Amino acid sequence: MQAVILAAGESSRFWPLNGKHKSLFKIMGRPLIWHTIESLKKSGVKEIIIVQDSKKNIEEELKNYDFGIDIKYVVQSEAKGMGNALTKAEELIKGQFFVLNAHKVNAGEFIKPMAEKSKGGFVLLGVKTEQPWLYGILEIENDKIKRLIEKPEKGRVSSNIKAAGIYLLSEKFFEYYKKISEHQYSFEEALNLCFKENESEAVIADKEMPCKYPWHLFEITKLLMDQRLKGRCISKSAKIAKSATIEGNVFIGENARIFENAVIKGPCYIGDNCVVGNNSLVRDYSDLENEVLIGALAEVSRSIFQQGAHIHSGYLGDSILGQDCRVGAGAITANVRIDRKEITVKPETATGLKSLGVIVGKNTKIGIRCSLMPGVLIGSDCLIGPNSIVFENIEDKVNFYTEFKGIKK
């Protein structure tokens, strides 16, 4: 069985974490696409074709890992949609094949049920949604897929099953694809031609694992930690102070240092060469990638820090820091609205979350005693001055500060 992983998109909706393809974002020491490949491998997939962009960042990253299966790479030099991306792999495809996005870290659990249902035809993974007008919707009749409707008009929706991003196709797909003109939804149009002339079915999942927006990383992190953190795993080279407390499922990597009176409450992942300072607390599905520093008297909860991020005293909850960010002492994230309502990320994007702190791109510096409001996105290479209060999103490469002057006598 083959699988084609699509990893050539621009990840524009993943800002401010889209300096490179979102599948290269790391959780538990590995990029998302690594977790996807491992999931496929465990399900019995023997060959994987990865469609990447002309930068070849995916291939460069994955050469560091030995997966023990056949992986081939092709290039989509210009982002022209899923259909065009899939044609780049056509010459390598033999028989039936799966198609999925690179961030589907739990894809393996759907491979067997989809393969068993195929009977040589087409099978799509579907999942129920309460907002069908936002997605590609599967119109199903007598357990057979009749058509795929892209973002149907609100109030005129005949189904609440959306396509969940994993497809089992055959080589016939390319025959239908060549009959249509290439456009943004040419993949979906070709699928509808397939459905008209071929028996096509859906496997309905209880829940999907989206990665459309950066805050979806919290749910992915929780899934991966629940699956892979079993008990306590502490490297022999890690240095743990006698007065430190470690509870629950916790991974601590090579040469990490946990100082006096620090508390780690799992599930948590702490990578190689990390430092957790005196009297600090790291808890509840926090992920610290390699070389992260948590200074003394800090609290980090349900947060994800990429390699080299540093913070000092303060609180970061339900937040994400990009690579090499620096956060000064006393900085605080407000991760819950004062009225306790759902947090909306501007411009008016509903998150479905009632707890969400700040999400920061790479190499941004945040000064001492800054206050960051719920759901704020801050770009890469920014400078946020001390004592600033950030209510709005800040674009990449911005120097931002607010100054409060006392009354002079």
Side-chain angles (χ1 to χ4, degrees):
M1 186 66 73
Q2 290 178 303
V4 180
I5 295 178
L6 304 178
E10 296 177 344
S11 305
S12 57
R13 288 174 292 196
F14 213 62
W15 182 83
L17 304 177
N18 62 341
K20 48 189 175 182
H21 194 271
K22 61 186 175 184
S23 68
L24 293 176
F25 190 92
K26 289 188 175 181
I27 300 292
M28 295 180 65
R30 298 288 188 271
L32 295 179
I33 191 171
W34 182 95
H35 295 289
T36 300
I37 292 170
E38 280 292 307
S39 183
L40 291 172
K41 177 184 172 182
K42 290 177 181 178
S43 72
V45 172
K46 301 297 184 185
E47 182 179 343
I48 293 175
I49 305 163
I50 298 176
V51 184
Q52 60 182 335
D53 63 24
S54 56
K55 296 177 183 177
K56 299 185 178 181
N57 290 336
I58 303 291
E59 187 174 354
E60 182 67 21
E61 173 67 30
L62 293 184
K63 73 179 183 181
N64 299 313
Y65 307 104
D66 181 11
F67 292 99
I69 59 174
D70 186 13
I71 298 179
K72 296 181 173 67
Y73 298 91
V74 295
V75 171
Q76 183 189 32
S77 56
E78 186 178 352
K80 292 184 177 180
M82 286 180 62
N84 178 269
L86 197 52
T87 62
K88 306 304 178 184
E90 182 179 1
E91 293 183 359
L92 298 174
I93 290 171
K94 304 177 290 292
Q96 283 191 301
F97 60 99
F98 286 91
V99 180
L100 65 154
N101 291 317
H103 57 263
K104 295 292 183 181
V105 298
N106 63 334
E109 65 186 86
F110 306 111
I111 296 303
K112 185 176 179 180
M114 291 178 72
E116 289 175 345
K117 206 167 188 177
S118 72
K119 300 176 184 177
F122 299 83
V123 182
L124 273 65
L125 183 69
V127 66
K128 290 182 180 180
T129 175
E130 295 180 357
Q131 298 177 306
W133 54 90
L134 298 178
Y135 305 99
I137 296 299
L138 300 177
E139 192 174 85
I140 300 173
E141 185 178 305
N142 297 324
D143 296 327
K144 308 299 180 186
I145 301 175
K146 294 303 177 183
R147 61 175 175 157
L148 173 61
I149 310 167
E150 187 61 35
K151 296 180 181 177
E153 186 179 342
K154 194 173 183 179
R156 295 187 177 182
V157 181
S158 59
S159 168
N160 66 341
I161 304 297
K162 71 172 182 175
I166 303 180
Y167 311 83
L168 177 55
L169 310 178
S170 75
E171 290 175 288
K172 283 185 180 180
F173 171 83
F174 296 105
E175 297 175 16
Y176 294 104
Y177 188 80
K178 290 167 185 175
K179 293 179 181 179
I180 63 177
S181 58
E182 202 166 78
H183 56 88
Q184 182 181 1
Y185 297 116
S186 56
F187 177 77
E188 290 80 2
E189 185 178 343
L191 281 179
N192 279 325
L193 291 178
C194 296
F195 300 154
K196 285 182 179 180
E197 300 181 15
N198 300 270
E199 189 173 279
S200 306
E201 301 192 51
V203 169
I204 309 302
D206 295 330
K207 186 179 180 182
E208 71 165 334
M209 193 56 57
C211 195
K212 184 177 182 179
Y213 296 108
W215 51 88
H216 289 149
L217 289 166
F218 296 114
E219 191 67 22
I220 292 174
T221 300
K222 184 177 186 302
L223 171 76
L224 292 174
M225 287 193 181
D226 285 344
Q227 286 180 345
R228 302 190 178 189
L229 282 182
K230 304 297 182 183
R232 193 176 302 174
C233 180
I234 300 176
S235 169
K236 292 181 179 179
S237 61
K239 295 181 180 179
I240 316 293
K242 290 183 179 179
S243 58
T245 300
I246 300 175
E247 299 178 358
N249 298 331
V250 174
F251 176 94
I252 299 179
E254 300 286 339
N255 300 308
R257 290 182 292 164
I258 313 298
F259 280 78
E260 287 76 13
N261 299 312
V263 177
I264 315 293
K265 290 190 174 184
C268 285
Y269 176 93
I270 299 174
D272 297 344
N273 303 305
C274 285
V275 174
V276 178
N278 300 70
N279 300 293
S280 285
L281 170 63
V282 179
R283 62 183 177 92
D284 300 340
Y285 294 101
S286 287
D287 178 280
L288 311 183
E289 295 299 312
N290 294 345
E291 299 171 12
V292 165
L293 183 148
I294 308 297
L297 302 169
E299 180 180 355
V300 176
S301 63
R302 299 176 302 278
S303 292
I304 306 167
F305 293 176
Q306 291 297 277
Q307 181 169 337
H310 291 190
I311 73 164
H312 296 280
S313 62
Y315 173 70
L316 266 79
D318 303 284
S319 296
I320 303 174
L321 296 184
Q323 184 173 338
D324 294 324
C325 281
R326 298 288 186 269
V327 180
I332 300 290
T333 58
N335 57 334
V336 178
R337 285 173 52 122
I338 197 167
D339 59 8
R340 298 305 192 260
K341 291 183 178 180
E342 177 186 350
I343 294 170
T344 298
V345 172
K346 295 183 180 180
E348 303 311 314
T349 303
T351 65
L353 302 174
K354 290 190 176 181
S355 295
L356 177 62
V358 65
I359 299 176
V360 186
K362 66 179 181 179
N363 198 39
T364 282
K365 312 294 191 295
I366 298 175
I368 62 170
R369 297 190 299 274
C370 286
S371 299
L372 311 167
M373 295 300 108
V376 163
L377 309 181
I378 300 175
S380 297
D381 301 303
C382 292
L383 180 63
I384 312 299
N387 292 311
S388 292
I389 303 177
V390 183
F391 286 94
E392 306 285 344
N393 294 346
I394 298 175
E395 298 298 321
D396 296 334
K397 300 180 181 179
V398 170
N399 287 352
F400 174 93
Y401 68 94
T402 55
E403 184 177 358
F404 296 89
K405 296 182 179 179
I407 299 174
K408 294 183 178 179
K409 292 183 179 179

